[in-house]
Amino acid sequence: AKGIRVEIPLRGASVKGWGITGEGMEVLFTAKPRTPAPGSAYQMGVGDRLDISVFGQDDLKATLEVLADGTVSFPLIGVMPVAGRTLAEVRAAVETRMKEFLVDPQVSLDIKDYQSQPVNVVGEVEKPGTYYLKGPTTLMDIMAQAGWMTKDAGSEIIITRHEAGSGTDGGTRQIPISKDDLLQGGTQYNPRLQSGDVITVGATQYFYIRGEVVKPGQYKLEDRPTLMKAVSIAEGLTPYARKKGIEIIRTVSGSQTKLVFDLKSIEERKASDVPLLPGDVIIVPRRLF
């Protein structure tokens, strides 16, 4: 029998094609248009892999990769540029081209593997590695994929971003995000990521305070502490402490340096307070009398 095609509206769907062949009958149901899924605005790029199929045309089913020049070689219609275009745009273009060869082609096109927009997560997370953006993706989204932070994670997350510049290499910019701010929410603390971003979660860093303080020991280097704040964290000076001649032993590139400060001058605002660095050792001397 000769094939016939009809369109019959149904409740919630329509029969777009009805073909009678020697092997039987084919019916295609097309549901009402759905709200675009999250990530539907994703723009395809080099390395992405696509699954394509055409209803009733098994020989046109294939998995294709976006090549280095941003094109894909589709079955039947040949090469087409897709980089920088959304899935909906490419699907519509493919259907238009296929109409030159087929009657009312029903094309199914999906992204099988997202490979063109990588971000790297390194440091103190449960699953460090390379992740791929699948549309608008925030820092919190990627942190969730990476299993969040380990117990040894510090208080700050650094996003290193490549910036376009006048030269061929451009430059980089670092965006610090406080872990507490990220957890509290707000778009300013949960930025949208870009392809090529590197997210670094450092380990907890410490400073050390010894000598004439109430509670000498090791403390977390959080909220950019200073010498005065460190003394406060250690619950203050003992009655025998000498404010003049407090030492900070600092190690930079494997070399130790001794810095000497007068805490009284800092308290009286005659001298600037001293920001601490990771690994600083503060030594509060004892009065001789």
Side-chain angles (χ1 to χ4, degrees), residues 146-169:
W148 200 240
M149 303 182 192
T150 69
K151 60 181 179 59
D152 296 320
S155 60
E156 194 170 63
I157 302 166
I158 302 292
I159 301 173
T160 302
R161 177 164 295 169
H162 293 278
E163 301 283 0
S166 56
T168 56
D169 296 331

Side-chain angles (χ1 to χ4, degrees), residues 23-182:
E23 298 178 354
M25 179 175 64
E26 293 180 325
V27 180
L28 171 65
F29 291 89
T30 302
K32 289 181 177 179
R34 295 177 296 176
T35 301
S40 59
Y42 175 82
Q43 294 181 335
M44 286 180 272
V46 175
D48 287 339
R49 301 180 71 211
L50 313 177
D51 276 343
I52 184 172
S53 61
V54 182
F55 178 74
Q57 305 289 334
D58 290 344
D59 57 327
L60 299 183
K61 185 175 182 180
T63 298
L64 311 168
E65 183 171 335
V66 182
L67 302 178
D69 61 357
T71 65
V72 168
S73 181
F74 288 99
L76 188 63
I77 61 175
V79 176
M80 177 182 291
V82 301
R85 305 171 76 179
T86 66
L87 195 63
E89 290 170 341
V90 174
R91 183 187 295 113
V94 169
E95 285 189 341
T96 298
R97 290 272 294 272
M98 284 192 172
K99 286 178 181 178
E100 299 174 13
F101 306 95
L102 302 172
V103 177
D104 194 18
Q106 303 299 312
V107 176
S108 174
L109 186 66
D110 294 293
I111 299 176
K112 181 178 182 179
D113 294 312
Y114 293 83
Q115 298 288 323
S116 67
Q117 298 184 30
V119 296
N120 288 288
V121 184
V122 298
E124 294 297 329
V125 293
E126 295 292 344
K127 296 183 288 185
T130 301
Y131 295 85
Y132 294 91
L133 306 183
K134 302 179 181 181
T137 306
T138 65
L139 175 59
M140 185 70 87
D141 294 332
I142 289 295
M143 291 299 296
Q145 291 183 50
W148 200 240
M149 303 182 192
T150 69
K151 60 181 179 59
D152 296 320
S155 60
E156 194 170 63
I157 302 166
I158 302 292
I159 301 173
T160 302
R161 177 164 295 169
H162 293 278
E163 301 283 0
S166 56
T168 56
D169 296 331
T172 59
R173 176 167 64 101
Q174 289 195 331
I175 306 169
I177 304 289
S178 163
K179 178 173 67 176
D180 291 339
D181 288 340
L182 177 62

